[in-house]
Amino acid sequence: MSSFTIGESDFLLDGAPHRVLSGAIHYFRVHPDQWADRIHKARLMGLNTIETYVAWNAHEPARGQWDATGPGDLGRFLDLVAAEGLHAIVRPGPYICAEWHNGGLPAWLTALPGVGLRRSEPTYLAELDRYLRRVYDIVVPRQIDRGGPVLLVQIENEYGAYGDDQDYLRELVRITRDAGVTVPLTTVDQPQPQMLRDGSLPELHRTGSFGSHSAQRLATLREHQPTGPLMCAEFWDGWFDWWGGVHHTTGAEQAAAELETLLAAGASVNIYMFHGGTNFALTNGANHKGRYLPLTTSYDYDAPLDEAGNPTPKFFALRDVIARYAPVPDEVPADAVPAPTPEAVFTATAPLFEAAPVIASGAPTAIPLSFDDLGVDSGLVRYRATLPAGSAGGVLEVDAVRDGAWVFVDGARAGRLSRSRHERALVIPAGRRIDILVEEQGRVNYGSRLGETKGLIGAPRLNGAAITGWSADPVDLTGAAAASLPERAGTGPLTGPCIARGAFTLTEPADLFLDTDGWGHGFAFVNGFALGRYRATGPQRTLYVPGPVTRVGQNEITVIELEQLPTDRARFAPAPLLGPTEE
């Protein structure tokens, strides 16, 4: 058993000054069979601690259906941290931001009538009480004073950028202590006076989040945390990407220089991210600061370990800095080797709605039901209505589409609408039936748009007159990926919406990089594992395939394409292609 406390100027481990050298790994962004590898490599860079968020919606996607097994086995992750001889920091939110879907809050939670997010509102407080106690059932027996690795727990997350409800923070502290958490409690905010003031309480230890101007940020932090250790609990060594943008990078020398400033000042640090991982399936978030920007599938973050867990120049640059302040193992991770490059021909295909399971939502409604009305977190919903008799077509207009839509009249493609491009109207031809396939492309993870309603918003209109009688049918993407498909007759490009499947062979399991360059807009699966979304807009041109989901011999790839596949085969690249960087 050990003790970990906060002293007058330092963290104290068994009474002795201790510097926390931490790196962020989100267990929910890494295949569980790769957790141990990523944790081991953190120790090889000289880190003594692993930090992770806890994503509420990864554990409770449906209300009351809690799951902490498999990819959500937080206990196993923390046990692997301990087995490597490292400590752990747990940040359970309940809001985490993290460029993660809905900032980690379950869509069912944010859809509850009258719920008041991140404040002292009874419905919200009751739900988060149940959530936190489930998390602490895992964390409490793994605290450092009980022989486990956990030495810090964070309350909320950058709350000063969102609100100032001190009663809310006090309730989080009460629940946390009542559940048995005895280690020190922290908060994190950007080092701005208002945020540091509003985002914490006197009994909580304030830390900062920043990636530049470290000396200035530490000075501001010290003004608001006059005693105890200084800590940058989110040292931003890279950045995230969004569809249609560039791949963001931060130079290794620049990151190393900022880390040097932190450590020379005696500060503790959590490197965000040490290993970013991947927004598998439909878990990416989105930003909205005047324009909706859904985030990419890759969460590489330009981190010291890349998306596939290989060391980058930044790994060695930061390791060299750490070695001047703490012991660093002699062992170093092996360099990346080219990945196998098999090829799969799409030999089985079908139109999406002929093969995909569609879940009928019931009787038609005057106004389309939202994703939230339907209990759908993300994915696709097909909206359908009958156009007025004698309709000659004209201007179709919606109040809002969240977030992308493909419009069909009598089964023929008529056009598309995009929230990111502020598109709400298009001209459609004459016809009898209209189908609008809507994709939820990522729930906003930051700011006032948390939990916003998704789908077709308001009553769609044709030439100013409301179209009524809408059905709204969710598409089962997992079922679609497993659906039986007829053998394809012919070769050449494929027009969406469609499902395509092929096979490729491996001599041994291996990490792969599915090359999506030139593809349209859709989702990809290997052996039933949901890799995530791809888009022609880039920047990323490959999807990471974790080695543990592959197998010796025949492997299966399935693609759900909403627009067009210009090729009849899938190829794999020897290395990740994450797109152009800023000059």
Side-chain angles (χ1 to χ4, degrees):
M1 304 293 180
S2 295
S3 66
F4 188 79
T5 57
I6 295 177
E8 188 65 24
S9 59
D10 298 284
F11 290 119
L12 300 176
L13 179 61
D14 293 330
H18 176 79
R19 188 202 301 263
V20 175
L21 298 170
S22 178
I25 303 173
H26 299 155
Y27 62 96
F28 45 86
R29 278 185 161 125
V30 181
H31 192 284
D33 290 351
Q34 296 173 323
W35 287 346
D37 172 77
R38 300 339 187 221
I39 293 166
H40 176 65
K41 288 171 179 173
R43 184 174 66 81
L44 299 187
M45 201 176 82
L47 302 180
N48 58 29
T49 305
I50 299 295
E51 175 271 314
T52 187
Y53 280 127
V54 180
W56 185 350
N57 53 10
H59 290 281
E60 195 178 9
R63 191 179 190 183
Q65 297 180 17
W66 179 259
D67 186 7
T69 63
D73 195 342
L74 172 62
R76 176 173 173 260
F77 179 78
L78 294 174
D79 292 344
L80 289 171
V81 171
E84 192 64 39
L86 303 180
H87 296 133
I89 300 170
V90 178
R91 302 204 286 168
Y95 164 78
I96 64 172
C97 185
E99 293 74 59
W100 184 257
H101 200 245
N102 220 29
L105 299 176
W108 62 258
L109 171 76
T110 58
L112 292 176
V115 69
L117 302 179
R118 305 179 72 189
R119 60 184 175 87
S120 300
E121 186 278 314
T123 299
Y124 176 67
L125 292 180
E127 296 295 341
L128 75 85
D129 184 295
R130 285 188 282 272
Y131 158 68
L132 286 176
R133 291 181 189 276
R134 290 182 179 117
V135 174
Y136 294 145
D137 283 345
I138 298 168
V139 171
V140 165
R142 292 176 171 86
Q143 293 178 100
I144 193 168
D145 55 6
R146 301 194 185 190
V150 178
L151 45 70
L152 289 172
V153 168
Q154 183 179 291
I155 298 297
E156 247 281 353
N157 188 57
E158 291 191 324
Y159 186 64
Y162 183 87
D164 60 359
D165 187 342
Q166 303 292 288
D167 288 338
Y168 166 57
L169 295 178
R170 278 189 282 270
E171 180 64 5
L172 292 180
V173 173
R174 185 196 67 78
I175 294 168
T176 300
R177 291 304 192 200
D178 184 65
V181 174
T182 53
V183 297
L185 304 181
T186 64
T187 55
V188 64
D189 280 288
Q190 296 177 46
Q192 299 179 21
Q194 172 264 318
M195 293 184 185
L196 289 167
R197 181 183 63 251
D198 293 347
S200 194
L201 298 170
E203 63 266 34
L204 302 176
H205 191 76
R206 291 173 171 86
T207 70
S209 54
F210 53 88
S212 61
H213 305 289
S214 294
Q216 176 186 340
R217 311 297 193 209
L218 289 176
T220 302
L221 178 59
R222 179 53 84 198
E223 292 174 4
H224 294 266
Q225 184 58 56
T227 63
L230 290 170
M231 182 172 183
C232 179
E234 281 193 22
F235 172 61
W236 302 327
D237 61 344
W239 207 243
F240 54 86
D241 297 341
W242 51 84
W243 293 114
V246 299
H247 174 47
H248 295 87
T249 59
T250 300
E253 292 183 0
Q254 177 185 344
E258 293 291 345
L259 180 61
E260 178 83 52
T261 299
L262 284 171
L263 299 188
S268 288
V269 68
N270 175 54
I271 295 169
Y272 190 100
M273 300 290 297
F274 168 70
H275 170 57
T278 308
N279 295 316
F280 294 120
L282 307 175
T283 57
N284 64 281
N287 276 350
H288 197 306
K289 297 180 180 179
R291 183 185 177 202
Y292 174 77
L293 296 172
L295 304 174
T296 59
T297 299
S298 172
Y299 198 66
D300 177 85
Y301 211 84
D302 192 36
L305 281 193
D306 69 13
E307 186 177 9
N310 296 307
T312 68
K314 191 172 290 180
F315 178 98
F316 296 101
L318 299 189
R319 183 176 184 271
D320 287 345
V321 173
I322 292 170
R324 293 195 279 275
Y325 297 89
V328 171
D330 292 334
E331 181 187 354
V332 295
D335 291 334
V337 297
T341 56
E343 185 174 291
V345 176
F346 293 127
T347 56
T349 65
L352 177 62
F353 295 112
E354 289 184 10
V358 174
I359 305 167
S361 61
T365 56
I367 296 175
L369 296 174
S370 70
F371 277 55
D372 306 81
D373 293 331
L374 298 166
V376 175
D377 290 0
S378 189
L380 302 172
V381 170
R382 182 188 66 189
Y383 293 92
R384 172 172 287 180
T386 299
L387 294 172
S391 169
V395 177
L396 173 72
E397 186 178 11
V398 299
D399 290 341
V401 59
R402 296 179 185 157
D403 301 300
W406 291 261
V407 181
F408 304 85
V409 175
D410 293 340
R413 186 185 297 267
R416 63 171 297 182
L417 302 171
S418 168
R419 181 183 187 183
S420 294
R421 296 199 295 263
H422 304 288
E423 295 170 343
R424 297 190 299 108
L426 78 158
V427 176
I428 63 172
R432 287 288 297 145
R433 191 189 76 205
I434 184 169
D435 290 335
I436 305 179
L437 180 62
V438 175
E439 180 193 10
E440 192 282 324
Q441 296 175 347
R443 290 184 182 260
V444 173
N445 54 258
Y446 185 86
S448 61
R449 292 180 181 269
L450 282 174
E452 67 179 358
T453 303
K454 293 288 190 166
L456 285 181
I457 308 304
R461 300 173 294 280
L462 180 62
N463 298 325
I467 305 170
T468 60
W470 289 94
S471 64
D473 304 318
V475 179
D476 180 359
L477 289 177
T478 301
S484 297
L485 303 178
E487 292 297 308
R488 186 183 186 211
T491 60
L494 295 164
T495 299
C498 68
I499 309 176
R501 182 173 298 133
F504 60 93
T505 301
L506 293 174
T507 57
E508 60 181 358
D511 286 351
L512 302 173
F513 301 97
L514 175 62
D515 189 347
T516 63
D517 192 25
W519 291 13
H521 186 122
F523 318 87
F525 302 76
V526 166
N527 295 330
F529 182 86
L531 303 179
R533 311 175 197 255
Y534 63 84
R535 281 188 171 191
T537 57
Q540 75 175 94
R541 300 297 185 191
T542 53
L543 289 177
Y544 173 58
V545 185
V549 310
T550 67
R551 55 190 176 228
V552 175
Q554 182 168 291
N555 293 260
E556 182 180 88
I557 178 170
T558 303
V559 172
I560 298 175
E561 170 62 56
L562 303 182
E563 294 188 345
Q564 178 174 289
L565 280 173
T567 175
D568 60 1
R569 63 199 60 214
R571 296 182 172 88
F572 293 84
L577 303 170
L578 298 182
T581 60
E582 292 177 307
E583 296 296 334

